[in-house]
Amino acid sequence: MFVFRERTTLRRWLPDRVAFMTCVFSDLIGSEYKKFVMGIKKYKMNPLLLEYGKGELPSHGRSRKLWNVDVDRLYVPIWVNRNHWIGVCISFINRHIEVFDCGGKKKIKEVEAFTYLILRIVKAVQPLRMQKHLNVTSYTVSYVPMRGLNKANRHRMSLAWVGSFIDDDNIKEARIRIMWDLCEAATDPELIERMSKYESPNYKPAECIEL
Protein backbone atom coordinates (compact mmCIF):
# COMPACT_ATOMS: atom_id res chain seq x y z
CA MET A 1 0.00 0.00 0.00
CA PHE A 2 2.94 2.31 0.74
CA VAL A 3 4.28 1.80 -2.78
CA PHE A 4 0.86 2.50 -4.31
CA ARG A 5 0.59 5.75 -2.34
CA GLU A 6 4.09 6.83 -3.32
CA ARG A 7 3.49 6.10 -6.98
CA THR A 8 0.23 8.03 -6.86
CA THR A 9 2.04 11.01 -5.35
CA LEU A 10 4.72 10.77 -8.05
CA ARG A 11 1.96 10.49 -10.69
CA ARG A 12 3.17 7.07 -11.79
CA TRP A 13 -0.23 5.59 -11.00
CA LEU A 14 -2.35 6.50 -14.01
CA PRO A 15 -5.81 7.05 -12.45
CA ASP A 16 -5.65 10.59 -11.10
CA ARG A 17 -7.52 12.05 -8.11
CA VAL A 18 -7.33 8.74 -6.21
CA ALA A 19 -6.15 8.12 -2.63
CA PHE A 20 -5.24 4.89 -0.81
CA MET A 21 -5.74 4.41 2.91
CA THR A 22 -4.43 1.74 5.29
CA CYS A 23 -6.03 -0.57 7.84
CA VAL A 24 -4.90 1.91 10.51
CA PHE A 25 -7.32 4.43 9.02
CA SER A 26 -10.22 1.97 8.84
CA ASP A 27 -9.57 0.87 12.43
CA LEU A 28 -9.58 4.53 13.55
CA ILE A 29 -12.91 5.05 11.77
CA GLY A 30 -14.32 2.05 13.64
CA SER A 31 -13.18 3.25 17.05
CA GLU A 32 -14.41 6.80 16.41
CA TYR A 33 -17.80 5.55 15.28
CA LYS A 34 -18.34 3.92 18.68
CA LYS A 35 -17.90 7.36 20.26
CA PHE A 36 -20.10 8.93 17.59
CA VAL A 37 -23.12 6.71 18.25
CA MET A 38 -22.88 7.34 22.01
CA GLY A 39 -23.79 10.99 21.42
CA ILE A 40 -23.93 12.54 17.96
CA LYS A 41 -24.38 16.13 19.17
CA LYS A 42 -21.55 15.86 21.70
CA TYR A 43 -19.16 14.07 19.38
CA LYS A 44 -15.86 15.84 18.69
CA MET A 45 -13.93 14.54 15.72
CA ASN A 46 -10.48 13.09 16.28
CA PRO A 47 -7.88 15.52 14.78
CA LEU A 48 -6.16 12.57 13.12
CA LEU A 49 -9.21 12.04 10.88
CA LEU A 50 -8.90 15.63 9.68
CA GLU A 51 -5.25 15.05 8.81
CA TYR A 52 -6.30 12.12 6.60
CA GLY A 53 -8.83 14.39 4.90
CA LYS A 54 -6.11 16.97 4.25
CA GLY A 55 -3.73 14.42 2.74
CA GLU A 56 -1.23 14.71 5.60
CA LEU A 57 -1.80 11.09 6.57
CA PRO A 58 -0.81 8.35 5.92
CA SER A 59 2.57 10.02 6.43
CA HIS A 60 4.32 7.76 3.91
CA GLY A 61 3.12 8.99 0.54
CA ARG A 62 1.85 12.29 1.98
CA SER A 63 0.00 14.07 -0.83
CA ARG A 64 -1.50 17.14 0.88
CA LYS A 65 -4.53 16.76 -1.39
CA LEU A 66 -7.94 17.66 0.04
CA TRP A 67 -10.72 15.11 -0.17
CA ASN A 68 -13.49 16.21 -2.53
CA VAL A 69 -11.27 19.01 -3.92
CA ASP A 70 -8.17 17.22 -5.22
CA VAL A 71 -9.36 13.64 -4.63
CA ASP A 72 -12.55 12.02 -5.97
CA ARG A 73 -12.17 8.39 -4.86
CA LEU A 74 -10.82 6.67 -1.80
CA TYR A 75 -9.79 3.00 -1.55
CA VAL A 76 -9.78 1.44 1.91
CA PRO A 77 -9.07 -2.10 3.19
CA ILE A 78 -11.25 -3.13 6.15
CA TRP A 79 -10.64 -5.99 8.55
CA VAL A 80 -14.02 -7.54 9.33
CA ASN A 81 -14.53 -9.48 12.57
CA ARG A 82 -10.76 -9.67 12.93
CA ASN A 83 -10.67 -12.61 10.51
CA HIS A 84 -11.62 -11.42 7.04
CA TRP A 85 -10.59 -8.63 4.64
CA ILE A 86 -12.87 -6.59 2.40
CA GLY A 87 -12.25 -3.52 0.26
CA VAL A 88 -14.33 -0.41 -0.30
CA CYS A 89 -14.28 2.34 -2.90
CA ILE A 90 -15.66 5.64 -1.61
CA SER A 91 -16.85 8.21 -4.15
CA PHE A 92 -16.96 11.76 -2.83
CA ILE A 93 -18.76 12.95 -5.95
CA ASN A 94 -21.62 10.44 -5.75
CA ARG A 95 -21.54 10.10 -1.95
CA HIS A 96 -21.53 6.39 -2.45
CA ILE A 97 -19.57 3.41 -1.09
CA GLU A 98 -18.96 0.28 -3.15
CA VAL A 99 -18.15 -2.81 -1.08
CA PHE A 100 -16.06 -5.67 -2.46
CA ASP A 101 -16.35 -8.81 -0.38
CA CYS A 102 -15.32 -12.24 -1.65
CA GLY A 103 -17.54 -13.71 1.09
CA GLY A 104 -20.64 -12.40 -0.67
CA LYS A 105 -22.25 -10.78 2.38
CA LYS A 106 -25.08 -8.31 1.83
CA LYS A 107 -24.52 -6.25 4.96
CA ILE A 108 -21.34 -5.60 6.94
CA LYS A 109 -21.56 -3.59 10.16
CA GLU A 110 -18.02 -2.20 9.82
CA VAL A 111 -19.08 -0.35 6.66
CA GLU A 112 -21.78 1.58 8.53
CA ALA A 113 -19.15 3.69 10.29
CA PHE A 114 -17.90 5.01 6.95
CA THR A 115 -21.39 6.05 5.82
CA TYR A 116 -21.67 8.50 8.71
CA LEU A 117 -18.12 9.72 9.33
CA ILE A 118 -16.64 10.18 5.84
CA LEU A 119 -18.86 13.11 4.87
CA ARG A 120 -18.19 14.79 8.22
CA ILE A 121 -14.46 14.55 7.54
CA VAL A 122 -14.97 15.88 4.01
CA LYS A 123 -17.00 18.86 5.21
CA ALA A 124 -14.56 19.71 8.00
CA VAL A 125 -11.55 19.98 5.64
CA GLN A 126 -13.28 21.95 2.86
CA PRO A 127 -12.59 25.64 2.23
CA LEU A 128 -15.14 27.82 4.03
CA ARG A 129 -16.78 28.86 0.76
CA MET A 130 -17.62 25.20 0.07
CA GLN A 131 -18.63 24.03 3.55
CA LYS A 132 -22.02 25.76 3.50
CA HIS A 133 -23.00 23.86 0.34
CA LEU A 134 -22.31 20.41 1.85
CA ASN A 135 -25.18 18.76 3.69
CA VAL A 136 -24.27 16.18 6.33
CA THR A 137 -26.13 13.12 5.08
CA SER A 138 -24.96 9.53 5.21
CA TYR A 139 -23.42 7.87 2.17
CA THR A 140 -25.29 5.18 0.27
CA VAL A 141 -23.85 1.67 0.03
CA SER A 142 -23.89 -1.05 -2.61
CA TYR A 143 -22.32 -4.52 -2.56
CA VAL A 144 -20.60 -5.36 -5.83
CA PRO A 145 -20.65 -9.02 -6.97
CA MET A 146 -17.03 -10.12 -7.23
CA ARG A 147 -17.67 -11.97 -10.47
CA GLY A 148 -18.74 -8.66 -11.99
CA LEU A 149 -15.24 -7.18 -11.91
CA ASN A 150 -13.84 -6.64 -15.39
CA LYS A 151 -11.70 -4.23 -17.40
CA ALA A 152 -14.57 -2.47 -19.11
CA ASN A 153 -13.28 0.92 -18.02
CA ARG A 154 -10.46 2.50 -16.10
CA HIS A 155 -12.43 2.72 -12.88
CA ARG A 156 -13.14 -1.02 -12.92
CA MET A 157 -9.51 -1.72 -13.76
CA SER A 158 -8.39 0.08 -10.62
CA LEU A 159 -11.00 -1.80 -8.59
CA ALA A 160 -9.72 -5.12 -9.94
CA TRP A 161 -6.61 -4.67 -7.79
CA VAL A 162 -8.77 -4.24 -4.70
CA GLY A 163 -10.93 -7.23 -5.60
CA SER A 164 -7.95 -9.52 -6.10
CA PHE A 165 -6.21 -8.46 -2.91
CA ILE A 166 -9.15 -8.95 -0.54
CA ASP A 167 -9.71 -12.57 -1.58
CA ASP A 168 -8.40 -14.62 1.35
CA ASP A 169 -7.05 -17.30 -1.00
CA ASN A 170 -4.85 -14.73 -2.76
CA ILE A 171 -3.09 -13.31 0.28
CA LYS A 172 0.06 -15.41 -0.26
CA GLU A 173 0.34 -14.31 -3.88
CA ALA A 174 -0.30 -10.70 -2.85
CA ARG A 175 2.57 -10.90 -0.34
CA ILE A 176 4.93 -12.01 -3.12
CA ARG A 177 3.82 -9.10 -5.29
CA ILE A 178 4.27 -6.69 -2.41
CA MET A 179 7.76 -8.07 -1.78
CA TRP A 180 8.64 -7.56 -5.45
CA ASP A 181 7.30 -3.98 -5.39
CA LEU A 182 9.32 -3.23 -2.26
CA CYS A 183 12.47 -4.67 -3.87
CA GLU A 184 11.97 -2.37 -6.84
CA ALA A 185 11.28 0.57 -4.55
CA ALA A 186 14.50 -0.12 -2.62
CA THR A 187 16.53 0.59 -5.77
CA ASP A 188 14.39 3.44 -7.09
CA PRO A 189 16.51 6.64 -6.93
CA GLU A 190 13.49 8.94 -6.59
CA LEU A 191 11.90 6.90 -3.79
CA ILE A 192 15.27 6.66 -2.00
CA GLU A 193 15.60 10.44 -2.14
CA ARG A 194 12.03 10.93 -0.86
CA MET A 195 12.61 8.57 2.06
CA SER A 196 15.87 10.34 2.96
CA LYS A 197 13.85 13.56 3.33
CA TYR A 198 10.95 11.93 5.18
CA GLU A 199 9.62 13.91 8.12
CA SER A 200 7.59 12.19 10.82
CA PRO A 201 4.14 13.75 11.39
CA ASN A 202 3.68 15.90 14.48
CA TYR A 203 0.77 13.86 15.72
CA LYS A 204 0.22 11.40 18.50
CA PRO A 205 0.77 7.95 16.92
CA ALA A 206 -2.22 5.67 16.59
CA GLU A 207 -2.38 2.53 18.69
CA CYS A 208 -0.71 -0.55 17.24
CA ILE A 209 -3.02 -3.05 15.59
CA GLU A 210 -2.33 -6.76 15.66
CA LEU A 211 -3.13 -8.34 12.29
Side-chain angles (χ1 to χ4, degrees):
M1 189 69 77
F2 158 72
V3 176
F4 270 92
R5 288 196 303 274
E6 287 288 347
R7 288 176 177 171
T8 302
T9 307
L10 293 171
R11 299 189 181 279
R12 297 179 185 176
W13 178 250
L14 293 180
D16 198 9
R17 302 179 65 82
V18 173
F20 295 92
M21 296 294 104
T22 67
C23 60
V24 175
F25 170 73
S26 58
D27 193 75
L28 179 60
I29 286 286
S31 61
E32 285 298 305
Y33 184 63
K34 293 177 181 177
K35 301 175 184 178
F36 175 78
V37 295
M38 290 177 64
I40 297 177
K41 293 183 179 180
K42 296 181 180 180
Y43 173 72
K44 292 184 179 181
M45 187 173 294
N46 189 320
L48 287 178
L49 291 179
L50 299 181
E51 297 306 318
Y52 279 106
K54 295 175 183 177
E56 293 291 340
L57 293 174
S59 55
H60 290 284
R62 184 184 293 118
S63 66
R64 293 191 169 93
K65 290 185 177 182
L66 287 179
W67 291 2
N68 197 52
V69 175
D70 307 305
V71 176
D72 296 330
R73 297 199 307 275
L74 197 67
Y75 293 95
V76 187
I78 303 175
W79 199 17
V80 178
N81 296 327
R82 302 295 176 181
N83 61 11
H84 178 63
W85 288 101
I86 66 170
V88 298
C89 172
I90 302 171
S91 171
F92 300 133
I93 296 176
N94 300 323
R95 295 189 183 184
H96 184 70
I97 301 175
E98 290 181 296
V99 182
F100 297 84
D101 175 23
C102 60
K105 294 183 178 180
K106 298 299 182 182
K107 187 175 182 179
I108 300 175
K109 63 179 181 180
E110 283 81 359
V111 176
E112 183 178 344
F114 289 82
T115 65
Y116 286 97
L117 293 183
I118 289 296
L119 184 56
R120 285 172 167 80
I121 299 172
V122 170
K123 185 169 184 176
V125 301
Q126 299 304 294
L128 292 177
R129 68 181 185 277
M130 297 179 62
Q131 285 188 4
K132 61 182 180 180
H133 300 297
L134 285 175
N135 296 320
V136 181
T137 56
S138 61
Y139 276 38
T140 57
V141 179
S142 65
Y143 288 77
V144 181
M146 298 302 293
R147 63 179 181 279
L149 288 176
N150 53 59
K151 296 184 179 181
N153 53 53
R154 188 174 69 176
H155 178 47
R156 293 302 179 189
M157 287 178 66
S158 59
L159 288 178
W161 177 82
V162 179
S164 63
F165 183 76
I166 60 177
D167 190 328
D168 294 333
D169 294 334
N170 290 344
I171 293 298
K172 288 184 179 180
E173 181 179 350
R175 286 174 176 167
I176 294 176
R177 292 181 181 179
I178 292 171
M179 180 182 68
W180 181 258
D181 283 339
L182 291 175
C183 287
E184 286 187 333
T187 57
D188 187 311
E190 194 163 8
L191 286 178
I192 292 174
E193 181 182 4
R194 287 169 66 91
M195 289 304 300
S196 67
K197 298 178 180 179
Y198 172 72
E199 297 179 2
S200 300
N202 297 320
Y203 318 115
K204 180 181 178 181
E207 296 180 0
C208 295
I209 305 172
E210 293 185 4
L211 301 180

